[in-house]
Amino acid sequence: MYRFIETIKLLDGQFAHLDYHQHRMDQTIRKFFDQENAIYLKEYLACQSFLTEGLFKCRIVYDKTISSLEFLPYTIKPVRSLKVVHAHSIEYAYKFEARDQLLELYNQRGLHDEIIIVGNNMITDASYANLVFFDGATWITPTSYLLNGTMRQILINQQKIKPAQITLSDITNFEKVKLINSMLGFEGPEIPISQIEI
């Protein structure tokens, strides 16, 4: 049976963007189990014990029901350089617990901190985050993403980033790239384009 994860930001006792996480969980359970989701994150989390000071990653593993819940202290790991890796058959449209394909690609990073996954010449994601590229005026996120992350969708809805097609050859037209996900928000690591090995 498939299992999935939700990673929710817990900052000073407040869970961030639960409605987006609930929506993704609802879609996932409907798609893979052909039923309506009986898990209500707001009610479920309100019954848990957690620290009310500091930054934590709330990691939920679930299928039809929740299998496990962890609250893990979180610090942003530095990312100073990226390596382009090619994957022509990877699919990760849903947030599976099993990440073997992503790990295999990540292990190709060499001396770099993180990867940019390219499929059929199109920019997709990093191993654990969506990407946004800055052209000097606008932050642009690839329409060929692997996973439409909750933070990606939030920032699109807020019109802080713009979706567009980005090919591998387009990378050099940008100044820098930023990593975004539910934990990083829009304050993730920014990497100059010169620090990408293509």
Side-chain angles (χ1 to χ4, degrees), residues 82-94:
L82 301 164
K83 179 178 174 61
V84 168
V85 299
H86 294 267
H88 301 293
S89 61
I90 187 170
E91 291 188 13
Y92 196 71
Y94 293 86

Side-chain angles (χ1 to χ4, degrees), residues 158-172:
Q158 294 175 345
Q159 299 184 338
K160 292 183 178 179
I161 64 175
K162 177 182 176 182
Q165 177 177 292
I166 304 176
T167 66
L168 180 57
S169 60
D170 291 331
I171 285 182
T172 54

Side-chain angles (χ1 to χ4, degrees), residues 32-46:
F32 287 89
F33 305 110
D34 194 28
Q35 66 181 53
E36 293 303 308
N37 184 13
I39 303 166
Y40 298 97
L41 286 174
K42 188 174 182 180
E43 294 176 10
Y44 175 79
L45 292 171

